[in-house]
Amino acid sequence: MKGGGPVAIECKRKSSDFDPKPLLVFRRLHPAGRNFVVATDVRRLFEHPDGDVLLRFVDLSTLITELIQERPLATRRGARLPGRSGRKADG
């Protein structure tokens, strides 16, 4: 979902500690974007709809994979931006 709005990420020790109310308030202000709940007890990704909002419960490594996949190539580590040689400017 590139360019789909801000990504909401909430981190919890246990997924059962998650309270969706603050995230739902955020999504009323910013309706587009992905929603992640990261918790140490999540073993595999699962999704839970809450009204019009889809919550994705993930572990940390899945979150990282999901976020890297949606980043434009030019902003990934090691990628060069057009017009930049990587050399220091004289000065």
Side-chain angles (χ1 to χ4, degrees):
M1 276 194 181
K2 295 175 184 166
V7 176
I9 302 170
E10 178 138 358
C11 300
K12 295 293 178 189
R13 184 166 181 92
K14 295 189 297 185
S15 58
S16 61
D17 292 339
F18 174 68
D19 176 6
K21 291 175 192 165
L23 192 142
L24 296 174
V25 169
F26 177 80
R27 280 296 165 218
R28 279 198 293 272
L29 296 172
H30 308 280
R34 297 172 76 189
N35 307 295
F36 293 98
V37 179
V38 183
T40 59
D41 63 345
V42 175
R43 296 294 171 235
R44 52 185 267 246
L45 182 147
F46 68 92
E47 296 179 334
H48 175 76
D50 195 321
D52 293 335
V53 176
L54 181 64
L55 304 169
R56 295 172 60 93
F57 287 76
V58 298
D59 63 0
L60 183 57
S61 65
T62 301
L63 174 70
I64 292 167
T65 300
E66 294 273 332
L67 295 178
I68 287 173
Q69 288 176 353
E70 82 176 27
R71 287 174 64 191
L73 180 61
T75 62
R76 292 185 188 165
R77 177 187 270 174
R80 299 225 187 262
L81 296 174
R84 298 211 174 167
S85 65
R87 296 180 302 186
K88 290 184 180 179
D90 294 332

